[in-house]
Amino acid sequence: MPNERLRSALLAQGVTIQELADSIEVNPKTVERWITQGKVPYRRHQYATAAKLNVDVTTLWDDSRAVATSTDLSKAEIVTIYPHRHMVPNSLWREIYERAESRVDVLVYSGLWLSEDPLFHDLLKRKAEEATQVRILLGDPGCEAVRQRGIDEGHRIMDGKIRNALVNYRPLFASHPEIGFRLHDGTLYNSLFRSDDEMLVNTHVYGIGAYMAPVLHLRRLPGGGLFDTYANSIEQTWGSARPVSDHDITGA
């Protein structure tokens, strides 16, 4: 039996089959089968579809799998997992931020590779000019947490990497003062890259650099909780961080 409720929800929201498929990362033909053949999606796709269309999942499917616990919902927030950061498609970092409308957050120690990307700089400028909230949180180069992280990764140059990142970002300080830059002294267990209700979580693993550690691609779902756990970490760190000074850049 065709799923007319799903078809109606798409029409009501003005969302095409292609747009829905792109949003939840499935093949458009799969979405067509959900509609024309009444196929029932995997649970995570049910919730992602319902979130995209701003309806309750039980409005679209009567399937008993639609009644889920918060644990199920949290699992459904995981879009995919990359074993190592270097396996994340290079374009994905900018793509998730391109989709941002209300907030762009970066919580790292140095994030040097991002600071060296001129396209990322252009993206930050554009988002700030569009009145998107942009916040960049780097580690305080003089704090104990930064020194220890360098040791944990097998080197002692984390403070230098942060100062290099600050030098790279320096042109933005004057040209776009609405972009928030702060330094934190917290112990990071993950580097977080948030764009509205989407996030990349780069875990930190003792003894290896972050580029070798796993990355979770998350998409927030109502009632999930996993995404919000990481998002709250960004808010708490921002609240206790301090502004950047010239001393932080030069070390003098």
Side-chain angles (χ1 to χ4, degrees):
M1 292 287 291
N3 189 333
E4 296 299 337
R5 289 175 294 180
L6 177 55
R7 191 196 308 274
S8 297
L10 284 164
L11 291 172
Q13 294 295 325
V15 176
T16 67
I17 288 175
Q18 183 67 56
E19 288 170 342
L20 175 60
D22 291 343
S23 173
I24 64 176
E25 299 185 350
V26 299
N27 191 294
K29 291 183 178 179
T30 299
V31 177
E32 289 179 359
R33 286 193 290 269
W34 297 347
I35 298 171
T36 61
Q37 301 176 27
K39 297 288 187 181
V40 179
Y42 291 121
R43 184 179 297 163
R44 65 187 179 91
H45 290 147
Q46 290 182 27
Y47 284 98
T49 298
K52 174 67 175 178
L53 299 179
N54 293 315
V55 298
D56 189 273
V57 68
T58 55
T59 301
L60 303 177
W61 291 282
D62 289 329
D63 182 65
S64 60
R65 289 178 297 173
V67 180
T69 66
S70 59
T71 299
D72 295 323
L73 286 167
S74 292
K75 290 179 181 177
E77 290 185 304
I78 301 174
V79 177
T80 191
I81 299 176
Y82 299 94
H84 310 288
R85 193 184 74 195
H86 66 79
M87 297 179 68
V88 178
N90 289 334
S91 60
L92 182 59
W93 302 94
R94 288 193 297 270
E95 285 175 4
I96 67 165
Y97 284 129
E98 286 284 4
R99 292 192 280 267
E101 296 180 357
S102 61
R103 67 172 68 225
V104 165
D105 288 327
V106 176
L107 171 56
V108 293
Y109 276 131
S110 72
L112 184 58
W113 50 281
L114 269 184
S115 76
E116 294 174 333
D117 183 353
L119 295 179
F120 183 64
H121 284 232
D122 291 341
L123 188 154
L124 293 181
K125 293 176 185 176
R126 187 166 63 257
K127 289 301 174 182
E129 291 163 358
E130 294 170 356
T132 301
Q133 175 183 269
V134 180
R135 302 185 299 185
I136 311 295
L137 275 159
L138 305 178
D140 185 331
C143 77
E144 175 60 24
V146 164
R147 187 191 71 82
Q148 187 60 50
R149 180 58 189 168
I151 294 173
D152 292 346
E153 288 192 359
H155 59 75
R156 297 176 183 271
I157 60 172
M158 184 60 74
D159 59 333
K161 291 172 67 175
I162 294 170
R163 290 192 174 93
N164 284 346
L166 288 168
V167 169
N168 293 338
Y169 284 129
R170 196 170 193 174
L172 295 179
F173 296 169
S175 67
H176 287 75
E178 67 274 27
I179 298 178
F181 284 93
R182 291 188 184 181
L183 300 178
H184 67 88
D185 60 3
T187 299
L188 291 187
Y189 302 100
N190 307 274
S191 294
L192 304 177
F193 309 84
R194 179 181 182 179
S195 166
D196 292 350
D197 288 340
E198 196 169 1
M199 188 185 303
L200 293 173
V201 178
N202 186 186
T203 63
H204 291 185
V205 179
Y206 182 82
I208 62 174
Y211 74 99
M212 283 295 293
V215 172
L216 285 70
H217 184 182
L218 305 181
R219 185 173 288 116
R220 186 179 185 276
L221 294 175
L226 180 61
F227 182 98
D228 287 342
T229 295
Y230 289 110
N232 290 338
S233 175
I234 297 173
E235 296 304 321
Q236 291 183 32
T237 307
W238 180 261
S240 61
R242 65 175 180 82
V244 177
S245 69
D246 289 338
H247 171 75
D248 297 314
I249 301 173
T250 64

